[in-house]
Amino acid sequence: MKYIIYVLLCFSSLYVCNAEKQWVKKHYKYQDDIKALKVIDSTKIIAIVLNIGSSKIYKSYDAGNSWTNTYSHYYPAHNDSVAMITIGSCILDSLHYYICMYPLPVLDITTDGGLTFSRVEFGTISSDKNNRCLDVSMFNSMKGYLITYKNIIVTTDGWKTFTIYDKPNKFIGTSNPSFFIDSTKIATINGRGISNQFLEFNLETGEWKDYNAEIQPKEGEFPLVISGVDFITDSLGYAAGKQRVNDTTKNIHYGLIWKTMDRGRTWEIIYRELQNPRFGLSQIHFTDSLRAIAGGNGAKYMLTEDGGKTWEYVIFYDYLYAMSQYCVYCGDYPIAWFFSGGAFRYEEVTGITEGIFKEISIKPLQTNSEYYLEIEDPKSREYEIIFSDANGKHITTPQIVNTAISNSSNSIDLTRLSSGTYFYMITCNNSLISTGKFVNVR
């Protein structure tokens, strides 16, 4: 059957273009909540997700093109009263994974790539549901730390034994990112989402002190907030974060990216977003010294291929995939994983993606004043077509079409649009089928 969308444009000049790259969904499982995403090499990625009281491990061996569920474990209620769920995770390498639990502070560990797990409990701390896990990190398979709401717990023998330290009062509760300064010290940011105060913790002595590093705004500006850190050498690292726009829009932030060349003691802003603020940036990952992806809530992505000198704003079309996201760069491909949205890869797409939909025909046509988007499908299926602007904002209500209706059509009036680039996205059964764009020049 054939279904045609007539988009009334009435533009003085119109260029119709095919999308060269797009986000393609590679994995989907309802309510999968991503907790860790680790690139092992140019083809292998490991993901740890939470799904309704269970932890799962997914692995990809083809740079995120396909995913295999290699481990699933359901966590029953603790003492028949408290449901245990995954709250945070650390993937050290292809064999060692560390999974924090919630609400009671315990740690599940595998040293064989997820074939078997053992659980570490921390005495009376592990029965305190008001002292939940916040972060876990490992320097190597022997040395690491676990941060809870009230404590920092340190091991030097792979969690066979551990030492528990209290947090300073000013640090209780915060869960901002932390990183190793060297094998004996860590730096953590006591920001509470407002500003940045760097604290140093000595893993051997248990002593806290101020870390001689600051990120301060210019006079009269709102605070600068770091949300994610990635080091690619012992000294060179990058951070992603945000800055609030103004007093009246407290949840709208500009995205920021910093660079450090001395392990976080000094930071330089190398990218400051000046347009299209949403929720700032929260994740950053460099695959090498040149290529990186930075992401934030609200489906915002920035890509660089020159070590952060320039950044490209890459649009993700669907606001549904906006929360609890992780992003990495694996080989030649940026990868994004969303809460209940699945895993996506940013790749070149020519024509229609392979799979059960390869028999359909999608044809963008053009006359002087109208743009025709034709879907021809021998099967009866329902499609959703979304039109958006360059910021990902929908410019019309989603169009639902069904190819069971022979030779049907409807029209959309977009004559109110100003000059610029506009996009369409076609989905069917929660799968992205095709995208395209048209450029209006008045």
Side-chain angles (χ1 to χ4, degrees), residues 350-370:
T350 56
I352 300 163
T353 54
E354 292 296 319
I356 62 171
F357 298 103
K358 63 183 180 181
E359 69 270 21
I360 74 171
S361 173
I362 300 175
K363 303 174 183 177
L365 308 173
Q366 177 193 355
T367 67
N368 290 332
S369 61
E370 294 182 327

Side-chain angles (χ1 to χ4, degrees), residues 125-180:
I125 287 180
S126 289
S127 60
D128 182 0
K129 64 181 181 180
N130 294 317
N131 192 17
R132 65 190 182 114
C133 295
L134 298 174
D135 190 21
V136 60
S137 185
M138 301 295 294
F139 185 79
N140 53 37
S141 61
M142 293 289 104
K143 184 173 293 186
Y145 61 90
L146 171 68
I147 297 179
T148 72
Y149 194 85
K150 302 175 183 177
N151 304 99
I152 182 167
I153 307 171
V154 177
T155 186
T156 57
D157 58 8
W159 296 105
K160 294 177 182 178
T161 62
F162 50 84
T163 305
I164 301 174
Y165 300 97
D166 292 333
K167 285 182 180 178
N169 288 335
K170 62 182 179 179
F171 185 45
I172 288 178
T174 185
S175 59
N176 284 38
S178 57
F179 56 89
F180 280 96

Side-chain angles (χ1 to χ4, degrees), residues 316-344:
F316 198 100
Y317 296 89
D318 199 331
Y319 278 99
L320 292 176
Y321 308 126
M323 304 304 292
S324 189
Q325 67 177 30
Y326 279 71
C327 58
V328 294
Y329 215 121
C330 183
D332 296 326
Y333 301 101
I335 309 293
W337 195 310
F338 301 86
F339 167 69
S340 205
F344 292 76

Side-chain angles (χ1 to χ4, degrees), residues 74-84 104:
Y74 176 72
Y75 295 100
H78 188 87
N79 295 330
D80 297 323
S81 60
V82 181
M84 299 291 287
L104 303 179

